[in-house]
Amino acid sequence: MIKAFKYRLYPNKEQDVLLQKTFGCVRFIYNQMLANRMAVYEQYRDNKEALKQQKYALPADYKKEYPWLKEVDSLALANAQLNLNAAYRNFYRDPAIGFPNFKSKHRSKKSYTTNNQRGTIRLIDSKTIRLPKLKNVHIKLHRQLPKNAAIKSATISQKATGKYEISILVEWEAVIKPITPTIESTIGLDYSSRSLFVDSQASSPEYPKFYRLAEARLKKEQRKLSRRKKGSKNREKQRQIVAKLHEKVVNQRKDFLHNVSRKIANNFDAVVIEDLNLQNMAQGLNLAKSTNDNGFGMLKRFLQYKLAEQGKQLITIDKWYPSSKLCHCCGEKNNQLSLSERTWTCQRCETTLDRDVNAAINIKLEGCRILGIA
Ligand SMILES: [Zn+2]
């Protein structure tokens, strides 16, 4: 298994200086290499064969001209090159993603990745991690890495609030016995913009409204920020307030989604959900805010790995499956059902159905059919 674990990092003053320098060098080398690729392209754009033969500049090529690049972790620079290659690949695969952007000191995320080379990244004790160039850094290990986990790489980043975070990518051997689900131990979830989801047992999570409350405050503080004079001390203070509030909201939402997904993954052997294109949905129905802050996509990701760790399955069913329109009792299809109808009565078997619960049961049944346990 491969998984990333995130922790807070507490560098001392010297380490803080070096981290800032590394973020700067990574941004610099990324922008240099991007400019180089763009220049080479301009020069040979009319000669595709010659363009293919061209070699692009590497991080090492810049070290002579800019010797200060040698002061930082060279693997961080090498990873900047890999990131640029990936950005190009993504752009070629799907131009809608956009051409790689130059990184900006203020707008871009401060982050770099380094690799473990025979123990260059390792835990020294329960409060200390060894990192290339930085040496021993204070870490808050709020949870243990899996036993026998081998550290592959680490990504160190700084948030808008100034807090440091480290994401440690580890690989370990795990013996996971696959669990065979039954109809009883399978649950279906129907996405709901109001309450995140409704499940096939007719319950939905108690979605706390803290986000909306905090969001109202966030908006107020953001308006205040826009009125502050650029470059002023007050603006910087206000920017910190906004960043802190934003971070709090994001963390609360994550905690909530972790709790909900943990309960489901522990109580059921298989979970069935619809394959929703949430981005399109948010735009199409103008539900952007509720869809996004519900975080159904994030819930899906959390469920996926929490189930997989226990040998359980997440089943995704086709988004064209008419889960709302079928009567789960007799299978009759109601083609007239409109979005505003919250309950409806089946014309064939005369059962009165709650729109969301009926959809969740149908999603479960379709999942059971796919699993071969219907
Ligand atoms: Zn019916």
Side-chain angles (χ1 to χ4, degrees):
M1 288 191 76
I2 293 184
K3 197 168 142 185
F5 291 82
K6 278 184 185 168
Y7 302 98
R8 277 282 298 275
L9 207 58
Y10 300 88
N12 61 29
K13 268 190 186 155
E14 264 170 71
Q15 290 166 335
D16 183 79
V17 170
L18 184 54
L19 280 163
Q20 293 304 324
K21 211 181 255 181
T22 313
F23 294 143
C25 287
V26 163
R27 189 174 61 238
F28 175 82
I29 209 84
Y30 185 95
N31 288 342
Q32 288 287 324
M33 286 188 293
L34 176 55
N36 169 256
R37 281 184 81 139
M38 288 166 75
V40 169
Y41 178 79
E42 274 308 311
Q43 198 179 344
Y44 296 96
R45 61 184 304 166
D46 300 322
N47 187 346
K48 290 267 145 50
E49 272 315 300
L51 183 62
K52 269 186 204 160
Q53 306 290 319
Q54 294 308 309
K55 291 246 187 324
Y56 299 109
L58 301 172
D61 300 329
Y62 295 100
K63 284 188 180 171
K64 221 176 200 175
E65 194 176 344
Y66 309 103
W68 37 266
L69 288 171
K70 290 180 200 160
E71 292 169 33
V72 305
D73 187 347
S74 61
L75 285 166
L77 305 180
N79 281 307
Q81 185 198 351
L82 296 180
N83 287 345
L84 179 63
N85 291 346
Y88 263 93
R89 266 200 314 278
N90 289 338
F91 169 66
Y92 287 133
R93 197 193 62 229
D94 180 8
I97 290 170
F99 189 76
N101 278 324
F102 284 103
K103 297 214 181 289
S104 123
K105 183 170 182 179
H106 297 291
R107 275 176 290 110
S108 302
K109 197 179 176 198
K110 290 180 175 176
S111 154
Y112 76 89
T113 299
T114 183
N115 306 74
N116 184 17
Q117 290 184 320
R118 287 193 220 112
T120 50
I121 304 175
R122 63 182 190 275
L123 289 170
I124 302 286
D125 55 42
S126 62
K127 287 176 185 161
T128 319
I129 187 166
R130 184 84 170 181
L131 291 167
K133 291 272 181 183
L134 292 161
K135 305 214 167 94
N136 292 352
V137 189
H138 185 61
I139 187 173
K140 187 167 184 225
L141 274 182
H142 65 278
R143 65 185 291 195
Q144 290 299 314
L145 291 174
K147 265 187 191 165
N148 305 322
I151 297 176
K152 311 291 283 180
S153 64
T155 299
I156 296 123
S157 56
Q158 189 182 28
K159 297 185 177 181
T161 47
K163 288 177 189 165
Y164 283 102
E165 190 178 76
I166 183 165
S167 174
I168 306 172
L169 190 72
V170 297
E171 188 177 27
W172 73 99
E173 295 256 354
V175 184
I176 299 167
K177 266 196 232 152
I179 291 177
T180 312
T182 62
I183 294 181
E184 291 73 35
S185 68
T186 299
I187 192 168
L189 310 181
D190 181 44
Y191 166 76
S192 155
S193 64
R194 281 164 305 169
S195 59
L196 190 61
F197 63 78
V198 174
D199 71 28
S200 48
Q201 300 178 339
S203 57
S204 43
E206 277 192 38
Y207 190 66
K209 290 293 170 205
F210 51 67
Y211 188 72
R212 297 275 154 69
L213 292 175
E215 200 191 41
R217 232 202 100 196
L218 188 60
K219 260 198 186 142
K220 203 178 109 203
E221 299 295 348
Q222 270 167 339
R223 265 200 305 274
K224 248 190 207 172
L225 176 65
S226 67
R227 286 198 300 265
R228 295 277 189 263
K229 228 172 99 188
K230 272 196 179 165
S232 70
K233 260 192 188 161
N234 276 333
R235 188 186 170 88
E236 181 53 29
K237 249 191 219 161
Q238 189 61 24
R239 199 189 61 77
Q240 280 289 327
I241 291 172
V242 168
K244 259 191 195 141
L245 208 64
H246 187 255
E247 198 182 289
K248 191 179 156 190
V249 166
V250 169
N251 287 340
Q252 279 178 327
R253 184 172 54 166
K254 255 193 205 162
D255 284 350
F256 168 70
L257 293 172
H258 272 304
N259 276 332
V260 171
S261 55
R262 172 56 61 206
K263 268 187 206 145
I264 299 173
N266 287 356
N267 291 334
F268 295 91
D269 294 337
V271 180
V272 193
I273 58 169
E274 274 179 302
D275 182 17
L276 298 172
N277 187 336
L278 289 171
Q279 217 170 1
N280 285 355
M281 223 166 79
Q283 283 161 359
L285 299 173
N286 200 18
L287 288 171
K289 210 169 71 180
S290 51
T291 308
N292 291 336
D293 80 47
N294 268 331
F296 195 71
M298 199 183 266
L299 178 81
K300 184 179 164 184
R301 281 209 313 281
F302 291 172
L303 273 174
Q304 180 109 49
Y305 79 80
K306 287 186 168 113
L307 289 164
E309 281 170 352
Q310 304 177 62
K312 300 175 174 181
Q313 296 178 68
L314 180 76
I315 308 290
T316 311
I317 66 168
D318 194 277
K319 64 180 162 199
W320 303 116
Y321 180 74
S323 55
S324 306
K325 291 179 178 167
L326 295 174
C327 164
H328 77 265
C329 296
C330 70
E332 177 80 357
K333 194 170 170 187
N334 178 359
N335 281 317
Q336 268 76 52
L337 188 69
S338 71
L339 254 175
S340 57
E341 286 176 81
R342 306 312 307 170
T343 58
W344 55 285
T345 304
C346 174
Q347 294 208 327
R348 196 156 119 203
C349 72
E350 297 183 338
T351 312
T352 299
L353 303 152
D354 174 282
R355 182 197 182 88
D356 297 332
V357 177
N358 178 58
I361 294 172
N362 280 324
I363 288 167
K364 169 182 165 166
L365 293 175
E366 175 65 3
C368 287
R369 192 190 62 77
I370 293 168
L371 287 163
I373 53 174

